[in-house]
Amino acid sequence: MKDLISVIIPCYNASETLPRALNSVREQDYKNLEIIIVNDGSVDDSLKVATEFAKIDPRITVINQENSGVSVARNNGLLNAHGEYIIFLDADDNYTTPYAYSEMLKKLKEEDADMCVCNFTHPCFEQHLKSGVYDLTDEKQFITYYQDFFASSMPWNKITKRECLTEKFIQGVHFNEDELFNLANLHNIKKVVVIDEVYHNYYCAPYVPMTNASAINSAFRDSTDSVWHMAMKNYEYRLDIIEKFFPEKKADMQYIRCFDYFFWVFFLMAKNRVTEGILINTYRSIMNEKLFKESLKDKEKYGVHCNAFDVSDIEKFVKLAYYAYRDIKSYNKKMSMYSVFLGIFGKIFCTFDKNVNEIDMLAKVSKDLKYNRTAEALYVNSLFDMMNAYNEQKNDNIILIDNSLTNWLDSSVLVGQPIKA
């Protein structure tokens, strides 16, 4: 059937959330669907739930496999998919609107694109790409797209032409397997249309005390084996894919993930309520790693120069970033937290050439800061003005590890008022 969409849902012990996910698919106004549930050896009632749904909706197919991991499950789904278009959905996620599929497919066809990307809800992350069409045959647009981790690397906020998914998920990789899959297939994608509308709801489990935390949640709070360290274990996989499919872009692509994961660490650890001390130790560990230092050196070609950093600079970064995180979250300020963190990082650790190459996100943010041309730049510059005023009062050039500055920023006179966007 023409324009059939195959929705692939890997499932492991998701009996409580699978009905919500399936109902959000079945309620889509676009009805030409093939819904493939791959039960990955669940030991709860997931298979029973999936089977019951298949009885009431003939579009649903259930595949049962021994527990082999999400990569095998998704590959199995792809192997059995008949649609011209592919959508991946995690069994604990759902859609925010019944128009998600119809709107994404409409935009994809209107622009003759290979992929359509939508925005999503997530307690930690956001994508910074706005609505638009990205021609990936253009070098600048390609790098702009690839630098947005959550637009380019996630499997679940996309509809993709089946013919563009020629590479499989790598078996045996249990972290960032989706990023590697999307990277391996990116060479087939010539045009992407992005919709800055929230169609996908990414479910994030509630906070769990450390004593009951899973291995990955524990890693979010571990200063020596953080999410950055976990992601860098896949560096050689990533580099092999780049050398195979993008040899001419290797110089631009090689260290992007080594740098941007530096910031994803903060979002995840802050969400897991780590202390400033743990974050400081985490960043001291990361910033001493060879790959991170190489990612900073790599930015010199864009006109960005990272200074030598010491413990006081790392303390300053963590304190200001944590304040910004709380302030933006608490007052629901409409700005990109990623851009704010880049700005704080740039002002503390970097110097910039007069004419930076804005193809790089950090370089672009530096120009934003110089001319106050975004809400995020105004916010960061105001934050540093406040810090400088505080340091003048204290006759101090650094922010101490105690909470004096944080308490000052959070005082009843200042809270929510001095930094507006």
Side-chain angles (χ1 to χ4, degrees):
M1 191 180 297
K2 185 174 174 56
D3 292 340
L4 176 67
I5 297 176
S6 295
V7 184
I8 298 172
I9 307 175
C11 178
Y12 177 71
N13 290 352
S15 60
E16 293 185 4
T17 59
L18 184 58
R20 179 183 63 207
L22 287 172
N23 284 329
S24 75
V25 175
R26 297 178 63 236
E27 291 166 1
Q28 292 295 308
D29 67 338
Y30 190 86
K31 302 300 183 183
N32 188 19
L33 306 176
E34 172 188 58
I35 307 167
I36 303 172
I37 306 170
V38 184
N39 179 54
D40 184 31
S42 298
V43 295
D44 67 354
D45 288 334
S46 294
L47 180 58
K48 179 181 177 182
V49 171
T51 303
E52 290 299 319
F53 269 90
K55 291 178 180 177
I56 61 175
D57 193 329
R59 299 175 300 174
I60 295 177
T61 299
V62 180
I63 299 172
N64 191 38
Q65 66 178 40
E66 293 184 2
N67 181 240
S68 307
V70 67
S71 292
V72 174
R74 287 177 176 146
N75 285 338
N76 210 353
L78 278 170
L79 184 65
N80 288 275
H82 301 94
E84 297 171 63
Y85 304 94
I86 300 293
I87 290 177
F88 292 103
L89 176 67
D90 289 349
D92 55 355
D93 292 353
N94 64 285
Y95 297 102
T96 62
T97 171
Y99 310 113
Y101 291 177
S102 58
E103 287 299 313
M104 292 174 74
L105 184 59
K106 176 184 175 184
K107 286 290 185 180
L108 185 148
K109 293 171 76 70
E110 284 178 352
E111 301 295 343
D112 191 25
D114 300 305
M115 175 187 289
C116 180
V117 178
C118 71
N119 216 328
F120 55 88
T121 65
H122 194 293
C124 301
F125 304 123
E126 59 192 14
Q127 64 184 40
H128 58 256
L129 283 186
K130 302 303 180 183
S131 294
V133 180
Y134 295 82
D135 178 3
L136 301 193
T137 64
D138 177 87
E139 180 181 357
K140 183 175 181 179
Q141 293 185 51
F142 179 93
I143 296 300
T144 297
Y145 175 73
Y146 182 62
Q147 282 188 99
D148 190 323
F149 181 86
F150 287 94
S152 69
S153 299
M154 297 297 97
W156 32 256
N157 59 336
K158 299 169 173 60
I159 179 171
T160 310
K161 288 181 178 178
R162 177 65 177 86
E163 64 193 42
C164 294
L165 301 179
T166 57
E167 308 302 314
K168 296 180 179 180
F169 288 87
I170 302 174
Q171 296 179 209
V173 175
H174 303 293
F175 186 73
N176 280 159
E177 75 290 333
D178 40 13
E179 179 217 340
L180 297 175
F181 170 80
N182 279 289
L183 175 59
N185 286 289
L186 187 57
H187 72 285
N188 295 316
I189 311 294
K190 307 306 178 186
K191 186 187 290 187
V192 176
V193 57
V194 175
I195 302 176
D196 191 19
E197 297 286 344
V198 176
Y199 291 158
H200 187 101
N201 177 54
Y202 183 91
Y203 175 78
C204 209
Y207 171 79
V208 177
M210 191 63 173
T211 52
N212 296 324
S214 65
I216 192 167
N217 273 326
S218 298
F220 295 160
R221 294 172 246 180
D222 190 330
S223 60
T224 59
D225 193 21
S226 69
V227 172
W228 186 92
H229 295 89
M230 292 171 65
M232 291 312 107
K233 292 175 183 176
N234 291 335
Y235 176 76
E236 293 301 328
Y237 283 113
R238 197 176 293 114
L239 187 57
D240 285 346
I241 294 169
I242 291 171
E243 289 178 336
K244 179 178 180 180
F245 295 115
F246 309 100
E248 75 286 356
K249 294 184 175 69
K250 179 181 176 181
D252 292 318
M253 298 177 69
Q254 183 172 358
Y255 295 113
I256 285 176
R257 295 291 168 255
C258 303
F259 179 74
D260 63 17
Y261 257 97
F262 179 90
F263 298 92
W264 306 141
V265 164
F266 190 97
F267 296 134
L268 286 167
M269 295 184 85
K271 190 251 178 191
N272 276 269
R273 306 179 187 178
V274 302
T275 64
E276 289 181 355
I278 292 178
L279 261 173
I280 289 167
N281 288 335
T282 299
Y283 279 125
R284 288 179 67 182
S285 173
I286 294 172
M287 296 173 89
N288 280 315
E289 291 283 351
K290 181 181 177 182
L291 278 176
F292 185 73
K293 290 179 179 179
E294 288 174 344
S295 76
L296 299 182
K297 183 71 175 175
D298 181 64
K299 291 190 174 296
E300 291 183 0
K301 64 177 177 280
Y302 302 112
V304 179
H305 307 276
C306 294
N307 310 317
F309 38 79
D310 55 31
V311 174
S312 65
D313 288 331
I314 298 173
E315 292 176 0
K316 185 186 298 185
F317 172 75
V318 169
K319 278 194 170 292
L320 291 179
Y322 235 140
Y323 174 77
Y325 179 85
R326 292 197 312 270
D327 183 55
I328 293 171
K329 286 283 189 180
S330 298
Y331 293 94
N332 196 28
K333 295 183 176 179
K334 304 299 182 183
M335 62 181 75
S336 165
M337 203 172 297
Y338 180 60
S339 294
V340 168
F341 283 16
L342 278 176
I344 294 172
F345 180 90
K347 288 183 80 77
I348 293 175
F349 296 111
C350 303
T351 57
F352 302 91
D353 292 346
K354 183 177 180 180
N355 296 311
V356 295
N357 185 343
E358 293 187 53
I359 192 174
D360 178 73
M361 276 294 296
L362 182 58
K364 177 184 180 302
V365 165
S366 76
K367 216 57 172 301
D368 294 342
L369 290 168
K370 183 177 180 179
Y371 296 107
N372 270 327
R373 64 185 185 185
T374 63
E376 291 82 2
L378 285 165
Y379 183 95
V380 171
N381 284 329
S382 295
L383 185 59
F384 274 80
D385 288 343
M386 293 169 65
M387 181 193 71
N388 292 334
Y390 172 79
N391 286 337
E392 287 178 8
Q393 289 183 17
K394 306 293 288 186
N395 291 319
D396 200 349
N397 291 320
I398 65 170
I399 301 173
L400 300 178
I401 191 61
D402 63 30
N403 292 322
S404 54
L405 174 68
T406 304
N407 292 338
W408 187 75
L409 290 171
D410 283 339
S411 68
S412 59
V413 176
L414 296 174
V415 68
Q417 297 180 23
I419 304 174
K420 296 182 180 179

